[in-house]
Amino acid sequence: MQVQAGRIGEITEITAWDQALRFFSFKDPALRYALAGAILLGLNCGLLGSFLVVRKLSLVGDTISHAVLPGVAAGFLWNMEKDPLAIFVGATMAGLLGSFMVSRLTATTKLKEDTALGMVLAGFFGLGICLVTMIQRLPTGNKSGIDKFLFGQAASLGGSDIYLMASVAFLTFGLVWIFYKELLTVSFDAGFAHCVKIPVSWFHHGFMLLLAFSVVIALQAVGVVLVSAMLITPAATAYLMTDRLHRMVFFACLAGMLAGAMGAFFSFLGHQLPTGPFMVLSAAALFVFAFFLAPRHGIILRWWARRSRSGRVRRENTLKAVFHALEQDGFRREGVTFMTLSKLRRQTLEETETASQELRQAGFATLPPGEKAVYLTPEGMRRAQTIVRNHRLWELYLTDAANYPPDHVHDDAEEIEHVLGEDLVRQLERQLNFADHDPHGKPIPTPEQMVSLHGQDKSASTGSLGYAKPS
Amino acid sequence: MTSDPNIEAVRSSSGPLSMRWTQGLSDAEIPLEIHDLTVAYHHKPVLYGVDLAIPPGKLIGVIGPNGAGKSTLIKSIMGLLPTDSGWVRLFGKPNKKNLGRVGYVPQRESVDWDFPVNVMDVVMMGRYGKLGLFRRPGKKDRSIAAACLEKVHMMPFADRQIANLSGGQQQRVFLARALAQESDLYLMDEPFAGVDAATESSIIDLLHTLRKEGKTILVVHHDLPTARNYFDMLILLNMRVVDFGPTKEVFTYEKLQKTYGGRLTILSEVADAVRQTKA
């Protein structure tokens, strides 16, 4: 028993490896077809799926994909074999009939679209399953392949299937390329599209026809049940990656093709496993990847931005404390001891040292060995002044322009000082008539002094720092 | 003798009276002419037997209570909705043949602002009517779009994704897009909704500039007190055209009461507005 178990394990291991090697040698014609088909359908689904997602029509894709099943069965019954063309025609017609029924239901009754979609989807799919079961029980005829339409089997693709897929993909690509600006306008604002003389309903019907084509060519590889995921998931992935539609379409195609190829590969590893679920899982994996890593919308970058922001706020607060210590001292000294700083910030000595180290790492301060004190670099001084300036300007704005009492404004300014940009500061200055003292009577550092302050002669500085504005 | 305001309204708007403000103009000179227009949703009429002919070069407000059919009127003028009767002519031709001379500002809520386009993409859509189906925007279109953005002071935001704009800025993007259409008749559906006071006054300035250039502008508006100051002429609409004429003639207590029916909250607003007129 043990020996046998070991041998089986050995065999499967070798086979998986062999399979992978076979996959990447691309020698097997069936494999080449499967891969080409998977990539073509990924491309096609990405192209059309992008428009589905931005138009919030994702459910329409789902409905059409389920509605085609009775058409597939009818095409099969036509001459009792898997004739790609007959199945293509039957399936497309069923898909279009489904979408036509949805639009009639919503136009003539008070039913809303989601309800109509749900009913049509289930009704057509039920009919399809009945027909497929019936075909499988027929005593005669070559029934092989009909079951593959449920969950997909890329390995069952033949040469003529690939030609069909390639022509549809070519057609879709060409039409999206030529009519990109019209598709964009119709998707964003159909009323306006009408106003700029775009034949909106033609585009709508044309799009639905292409969608039906795409679903149908994807059927054999992905299966009726999961086609819609190939339409939606790569497009949703791309939606997270960018803020422009043309880039979204590009990324969606990329994600679709990658998911198709990955699905074909994994199902090949597992010996004739249905390809649909593997493609959809690959697409979902890509989505998760984008969810965490996408620029701007991705979780990780957002987390990183928040983290670095909180780091910046911490550094700026330390800088401010150093500035305050220097200011209390009338800027007679250049350095501030950790002891003074920790008292000012109500921190332990260790915390202050860590904070000072952060300043040093950011290039804002030097910590001469053995001195236990912080010396600001010119850059650090400039930053400290900017922060203090923002803080005091905002306090002044709140008291003067927004009529807050002076003892209410400090905490608010603590937050705002870190986010005020140059533009806003300039606006504040103008509104405050370039005031030079905050509501607590402290001088507001001005940009003119920022450079000169650090290098100025210490003996010359007075208690109020000689904050006279250069005239 | 009936005193039903609706019947009065039909009387005052039907017949040759509707042509009162366009007498002596040739068909091609009349920006908009509507005859016996009826539009219904699910067999419930929203507009009923509307007759209207507006003169060129005027800034015209469309006012009326909620559900009076103001947006429906705008959409029907463009041929966006199936009509039950009547016709609409733009500059003497059937509306669908002459859409090229119409600029359109839809309601701001009518689109998804998360859509992956930036400000420039949206304004460029205004050029597509002139471009036709196959041509792509060229240098000239880009410079026109940029100039239109400049007119609404939105050029600094050209690369911004449209979700990252305030309500007033979004409205100005729509205006710039309509300007890019370089039309003669502008239809605007509540361009002042959700807009701050500064934007509102800059939009009004822009509309006055357009009018000076000889354009005709039809604006759906819901704020009565400002309607009195903003527009040369007013269309009082409540399913029918209650009255249409110069603001001074039309903006009266009786006529507004007819338009707004028994809606008390609005009536008090009307009373305030009229009191302001007299003050």
Side-chain angles (χ1 to χ4, degrees):
Chain A
M1 278 303 275
Q2 261 185 336
V3 178
Q4 212 178 359
R7 242 166 60 203
I8 289 169
E10 248 169 45
I11 289 166
T12 42
E13 221 173 291
I14 289 165
T15 324
W17 181 243
D18 274 355
Q19 287 285 81
L21 280 181
R22 261 180 72 201
F23 186 87
F24 284 109
S25 68
F26 302 115
K27 273 185 191 134
D28 193 338
L31 176 65
R32 280 207 297 267
Y33 284 144
L35 193 61
I39 289 175
L40 282 171
L41 87 88
L43 172 75
N44 220 35
C45 287
L47 277 169
L48 294 177
S50 303
F51 292 98
L52 278 185
V53 167
V54 295
R55 288 179 68 183
K56 302 187 195 124
L57 289 180
S58 302
L59 267 180
V60 173
D62 206 18
T63 303
I64 291 190
S65 66
H66 282 76
V68 296
L69 190 60
V72 171
F76 204 88
L77 283 170
W78 182 259
N79 48 12
M80 288 315 289
E81 63 169 4
K82 214 192 89 191
D83 173 3
L85 203 64
I87 289 176
F88 182 81
V89 172
T92 307
M93 281 176 39
L96 291 177
L97 183 66
S99 82
F100 174 76
M101 280 174 68
V102 170
S103 70
R104 287 323 295 160
L105 273 176
T106 42
T108 55
T109 68
K110 58 182 180 181
L111 290 174
K112 301 293 175 287
E113 194 179 35
D114 56 339
T115 311
L117 286 169
M119 287 198 319
V120 170
L121 181 155
F124 273 70
F125 191 60
L127 178 64
I129 293 286
C130 286
L131 287 175
V132 167
T133 320
M134 212 179 79
I135 290 171
Q136 280 171 332
R137 294 215 178 132
L138 281 179
T140 53
N142 176 10
K143 301 170 283 203
S144 72
I146 186 80
D147 55 317
K148 306 283 194 254
F149 282 92
L150 276 179
F151 296 109
Q153 183 51 268
S156 69
L157 292 172
S160 52
D161 295 311
I162 297 298
Y163 284 125
L164 198 59
M165 290 174 96
S167 359
V168 170
F170 184 75
L171 180 74
T172 311
F173 187 84
L175 288 175
V176 170
W177 178 265
I178 294 170
F179 294 116
Y180 175 76
K181 73 180 201 300
E182 283 77 18
L183 283 168
L184 167 70
T185 314
V186 171
S187 309
F188 175 62
D189 188 347
F192 188 82
H194 173 87
C195 186
V196 289
K197 297 184 291 186
I198 295 171
V200 176
S201 59
W202 276 99
F203 271 94
H204 183 74
H205 295 309
F207 183 81
M208 285 300 158
L209 184 66
L210 272 184
L211 190 65
F213 282 172
S214 308
V215 164
V216 173
I217 61 157
L219 278 188
Q220 240 189 114
V222 196
V224 171
V225 184
L226 293 171
V227 163
S228 66
M230 281 302 281
L231 281 166
I232 299 161
T233 313
T237 310
Y239 190 53
L240 292 189
M241 306 275 293
T242 172
D243 279 337
R244 301 287 294 283
L245 186 64
H246 61 275
R247 289 192 204 126
M248 177 179 165
V249 173
F250 175 75
F251 285 133
C253 292
L254 223 59
M257 292 192 287
L258 198 58
M262 281 162 68
F265 172 69
F266 286 121
S267 93
F268 187 74
L269 280 192
H271 293 283
Q272 302 281 305
L273 284 175
T275 29
F278 283 102
M279 283 186 196
V280 171
L281 279 178
S282 309
L286 289 174
F287 177 82
V288 171
F289 194 68
F291 179 74
F292 285 108
L293 288 175
R296 254 179 299 178
H297 304 287
I299 295 283
I300 289 192
L301 279 190
R302 269 197 301 201
W303 170 80
W304 181 254
R306 204 161 44 234
R307 212 188 97 107
S308 61
R309 192 163 58 237
S310 74
R312 182 169 66 89
V313 168
R314 209 167 48 237
R315 280 196 300 278
E316 287 178 350
N317 284 334
T318 318
L319 276 174
K320 203 172 54 178
V322 175
F323 185 91
H324 284 151
L326 292 170
E327 192 183 42
Q328 274 178 5
D329 224 18
F331 293 93
R332 271 188 290 272
R333 263 180 292 235
E334 272 186 5
V336 177
T337 61
F338 290 158
M339 190 64 98
T340 322
L341 203 55
S342 70
K343 271 186 201 143
L344 206 63
R345 296 213 67 190
R346 300 203 183 95
Q347 283 174 329
T348 64
L349 262 180
E350 288 76 36
E351 280 169 341
T352 306
E353 269 199 68
T354 321
S356 308
Q357 287 293 347
E358 278 179 3
L359 284 192
R360 189 183 58 79
Q361 277 158 18
F364 290 145
T366 51
L367 312 172
E371 263 201 64
K372 293 212 169 290
V374 189
Y375 288 82
L376 292 187
T377 61
E379 178 60 28
M381 193 63 184
R382 211 172 293 133
R383 271 301 269 285
Q385 283 173 318
T386 308
I387 292 301
V388 172
R389 175 179 171 69
N390 287 353
H391 182 100
R392 292 180 182 168
L393 272 175
W394 186 246
E395 285 190 339
L396 193 61
Y397 177 75
L398 286 183
T399 51
D400 279 23
N403 289 323
Y404 278 88
D407 57 343
H408 281 52
V409 295
H410 178 78
D411 292 340
D412 196 39
E414 284 286 297
E415 306 263 331
I416 300 295
E417 64 192 16
H418 303 289
V419 296
L420 283 180
E422 263 178 61
D423 286 356
L424 270 171
V425 169
R426 235 168 271 142
Q427 275 185 36
L428 279 178
E429 284 171 340
R430 225 170 298 133
Q431 197 147 6
L432 296 169
N433 288 323
F434 301 92
D436 45 17
H437 282 74
D438 77 357
H440 311 294
K442 290 209 181 128
I444 299 172
T446 62
E448 287 85 354
Q449 295 155 347
M450 290 203 182
V451 193
S452 65
L453 186 67
H454 189 75
Q456 83 182 42
D457 185 10
K458 275 165 281 168
S459 60
S461 65
T462 61
S464 73
L465 229 190
Y467 263 38
K469 270 169 77 177
S471 47
Chain B
M1 283 287 117
T2 174
S3 60
D4 183 346
N6 286 332
I7 291 180
E8 291 290 315
V10 173
R11 226 171 258 159
S12 69
S13 72
S14 63
L17 265 184
S18 68
M19 302 293 286
R20 195 159 35 143
W21 310 108
T22 51
Q23 268 165 12
L25 293 171
S26 72
D27 275 359
E29 284 172 312
I30 302 175
L32 170 67
E33 192 185 344
I34 299 174
H35 179 74
D36 190 29
L37 179 73
T38 299
V39 180
Y41 286 126
H42 295 299
H43 308 293
K44 223 175 94 191
V46 184
L47 291 175
Y48 191 82
V50 169
D51 286 318
L52 202 61
I54 66 173
K58 292 275 191 274
L59 178 52
I60 300 165
V62 182
I63 59 173
N66 287 334
K70 301 188 293 284
S71 292
T72 306
L73 179 68
I74 296 282
K75 286 181 185 151
S76 318
I77 291 172
M78 293 201 309
L80 268 175
L81 299 171
T83 57
D84 292 67
S85 77
W87 47 253
V88 178
R89 277 190 200 147
L90 303 167
F91 300 98
K93 284 190 200 161
N95 54 351
K96 287 185 184 171
K97 296 240 164 80
N98 228 355
L99 276 176
R101 297 183 68 177
V102 176
Y104 178 41
V105 177
Q107 278 187 21
R108 191 155 52 86
E109 305 88 71
S110 67
V111 303
D112 170 20
W113 290 92
D114 281 327
F115 199 92
V117 284
N118 67 19
V119 167
M120 197 41 133
D121 293 335
V122 175
V123 177
M124 200 54 94
M125 288 175 194
R127 299 300 305 156
Y128 293 170
K130 295 261 188 297
L131 279 171
L133 275 185
F134 297 97
R135 293 220 318 274
R136 282 174 194 242
K139 217 174 190 176
K140 185 182 152 228
D141 301 294
R142 273 191 289 276
S143 72
I144 290 173
C148 294
L149 268 182
E150 199 55 69
K151 276 183 201 156
V152 298
H153 313 296
M154 284 294 288
M155 201 51 205
F157 300 92
D159 295 328
R160 194 89 55 105
Q161 203 269 328
I162 54 169
N164 304 322
L165 298 172
S166 71
Q169 289 170 332
Q170 292 175 340
Q171 198 69 64
R172 281 187 278 159
V173 172
F174 266 3
L175 269 171
R177 181 175 69 169
L179 291 180
Q181 292 182 270
E182 298 185 317
S183 309
D184 301 307
L185 170 67
Y186 286 91
L187 306 174
M188 305 188 177
D189 203 344
E190 307 234 4
F192 301 112
V195 156
D196 58 283
T199 308
E200 182 154 341
S201 76
S202 80
I203 292 178
I204 266 296
D205 288 345
L206 189 71
L207 298 187
H208 286 156
T209 317
L210 282 175
R211 182 187 50 187
K212 251 181 239 151
E213 293 166 8
K215 319 278 191 188
T216 312
I217 310 144
L218 204 62
V219 180
V220 171
H221 193 61
H222 67 220
D223 183 46
L224 276 176
T226 52
R228 190 175 54 93
N229 301 321
Y230 284 172
F231 304 109
D232 307 327
M233 300 180 85
L234 286 177
I235 297 168
L236 304 186
L237 190 77
N238 191 351
M239 207 162 87
R240 296 150 179 175
V241 176
V242 177
D243 207 344
F244 169 51
T247 306
K248 262 182 246 142
E249 284 179 32
V250 176
F251 201 87
T252 64
Y253 187 80
E254 293 72 28
K255 285 179 176 167
L256 289 170
Q257 194 183 29
K258 259 191 216 165
T259 315
Y260 284 85
R263 286 161 219 246
L264 289 173
T265 47
I266 295 182
L267 266 187
S268 65
E269 203 184 321
V270 173
D272 279 349
V274 172
R275 228 173 283 131
Q276 274 179 29
T277 325
K278 291 189 174 146

